[in-house]
Amino acid sequence: MTRSTRQREREHETEQPEGAQEDEGVRTCPECGSDDLVKSSDRGELICDDCGLVVEEGNIDPGPEWRAFNHSERQSKSRVGAPTTQTMHDKGLTTTIDWKDKDAYGRSISSKKRSQMHRLRKWQERIRTKDAGERNLQFALSEIDRMASALGVPRSVREVASVIYRRALSEDLIRGRSIEGVATAALYAACRKEGIPRSLEEISEVSRVERKEIGRTYRYISQELGLEMRPVDPKKYVPRFCSELELSEEVQSKANEIIEKTAEEGLLSGKSPTGYAAAAIYAASLLCNEKKTQREVADVAQVTEVTIRNRYQEQIEAMGIHS
């Protein structure tokens, strides 16, 4: 009787030197060779998601022993502080003196103690930055946070922007450039990295530097840090522009279809993604009888009406539509 595949695999594993699988860096299933292994928290097992083999059992769950069903419960039961973050120059590890002039029991403190706390607060804020590099980082990260709030981008973008700025600072790319310019360029790069594109015009509106300087600084740090940015897909702008123009899902779907078909014919090469998306939305609004003027679409996309007209003509010719 021939031995089963599982038995042969297990015997082969025992013949290998101890820790051979760990050296490869990726755990694989001994039955089917898949690396899609799933941890079962309720049973403490490591299971192959493809064939169902239990690879390991008796795993230790490193999570908390308590359960929480909303944010307030999680906050009240947690026994640790806030997680570290790249958006603060000290990564959130230092302490701060509370601005409330009250003691541990919630009672107001005397005027003498109040002035003492004010001085302590002031000096504590000063000693949080030990040198010019940290002061530079503190100012830049506060600028990134301010601009990200104005743009309404999620926290993940702020974290990525902070990491990019830290890398630029460590490699001495700030020298000869304004802190605001590099911080704005880092935020623009982070938006593109996270797939939440914002145009240079939108970025420059919330920044204190000009569009030309942002673009120049962005190209420089992108090249020096090897960020490997992919071209922005115009379809990523369509939902936001359609929402601001109060257009239906039908128009949004039609605009995406126009972009896909015309991009396949090579029309997108060398074109501004915002202008391309705006023209597709304008064409889709006409086809779906939800007409918007070129001026309305241009204002939302922050491009000129001439750009929309040119891209629109190219797109309808490529689609074989006669206006």
Side-chain angles (χ1 to χ4, degrees):
M1 184 176 174
T2 58
R3 292 172 299 174
S4 67
T5 307
R6 188 175 298 183
Q7 285 175 330
R8 288 198 302 272
E9 289 286 347
R10 283 175 178 166
E11 286 175 10
H12 178 66
E13 279 180 22
T14 55
E15 290 169 5
Q16 287 182 329
E18 197 172 18
Q21 281 190 326
E22 282 73 6
D23 292 341
E24 294 174 4
V26 179
R27 298 281 313 266
T28 56
C29 174
E31 179 71 25
C32 64
S34 169
D35 60 355
D36 193 6
L37 304 180
V38 180
K39 283 186 178 178
S40 172
S41 56
D42 55 340
R43 299 178 64 89
E45 296 173 340
L46 187 66
I47 304 166
C48 176
D49 204 32
D50 289 345
C51 68
L53 177 71
V54 178
V55 180
E56 267 185 20
E57 48 188 346
N59 285 331
I60 297 171
D61 182 10
E65 80 286 358
W66 44 262
R67 294 193 301 168
F69 301 98
N70 55 44
H71 181 68
S72 59
E73 280 188 26
R74 198 172 293 110
Q75 289 290 93
S76 63
K77 291 183 177 182
S78 178
R79 294 188 291 274
V80 296
T84 58
T85 173
Q86 298 287 341
T87 59
M88 298 175 72
H89 76 283
D90 52 14
K91 299 186 180 178
L93 294 173
T94 59
T95 56
T96 54
I97 299 174
D98 195 7
W99 59 271
K100 297 175 184 176
D101 291 322
K102 294 185 178 180
D103 63 10
Y105 298 101
R107 296 182 298 226
S108 296
I109 59 178
S110 64
S111 58
K112 185 179 177 182
K113 284 284 185 185
R114 202 175 295 129
S115 61
Q116 185 184 358
M117 292 303 295
H118 176 72
R119 285 198 305 276
L120 283 171
R121 220 177 272 124
K122 183 169 64 177
W123 278 104
Q124 197 266 352
E125 192 63 33
R126 285 176 181 172
I127 63 173
R128 282 183 72 187
T129 52
K130 66 176 184 291
D131 54 27
E134 283 201 0
R135 283 194 295 276
N136 174 326
L137 190 59
Q138 186 179 33
F139 175 67
L141 296 181
S142 66
E143 274 293 288
I144 288 172
D145 201 49
R146 179 188 66 79
M147 291 185 290
S149 296
L151 288 169
V153 295
R155 188 157 191 86
S156 61
V157 174
R158 305 180 195 196
E159 293 279 349
V160 173
S162 302
V163 170
I164 291 172
Y165 188 88
R166 285 174 186 273
R167 285 185 60 195
L169 185 63
S170 66
E171 297 191 21
D172 203 24
L173 304 181
I174 316 293
R175 192 180 298 277
R177 290 170 178 80
S178 68
I179 296 173
E180 293 98 330
V182 179
T184 310
L187 181 60
Y188 177 63
C191 287
R192 291 187 60 171
K193 273 278 187 189
E194 290 295 292
I196 306 170
R198 293 290 186 269
S199 65
L200 277 173
E201 287 78 11
E202 290 174 291
I203 296 282
S204 62
E205 277 186 1
V206 300
S207 176
R208 295 192 177 103
V209 292
E210 294 181 359
R211 179 187 181 280
K212 186 182 285 187
E213 186 185 340
I214 298 169
R216 188 167 56 239
T217 309
Y218 162 72
R219 285 191 295 273
Y220 174 71
I221 65 168
S222 177
Q223 183 180 357
E224 291 296 319
L225 297 177
L227 297 180
E228 298 179 359
M229 292 295 182
R230 297 177 63 83
V232 178
D233 186 355
K235 289 193 289 184
K236 290 186 180 294
Y237 290 104
V238 171
R240 185 156 55 91
F241 290 169
C242 284
S243 176
E244 290 183 34
L245 289 165
E246 297 180 351
L247 292 168
S248 65
E249 288 283 336
E250 184 187 359
V251 175
Q252 188 173 318
S253 177
K254 191 69 178 176
N256 285 330
E257 183 187 333
I258 291 169
I259 291 170
E260 281 178 11
K261 288 186 177 179
T262 55
E264 284 173 6
E265 299 187 20
L267 291 184
L268 182 55
S269 179
K271 306 294 193 305
S272 163
T274 50
Y276 205 85
I281 290 168
Y282 174 68
S285 69
L286 296 179
L287 292 171
C288 298
N289 294 321
E290 294 184 38
K291 183 168 167 48
K292 293 288 180 182
T293 64
Q294 291 178 0
R295 178 75 264 162
E296 288 175 307
V297 180
D299 287 341
V300 167
Q302 294 183 326
V303 294
T304 63
E305 293 175 62
V306 176
T307 301
I308 291 179
R309 277 196 292 275
N310 291 340
R311 298 294 87 79
Y312 167 71
Q313 288 297 332
E314 293 169 0
Q315 287 172 357
I316 62 171
E317 284 174 18
M319 295 279 290
I321 302 169
H322 300 287
S323 56

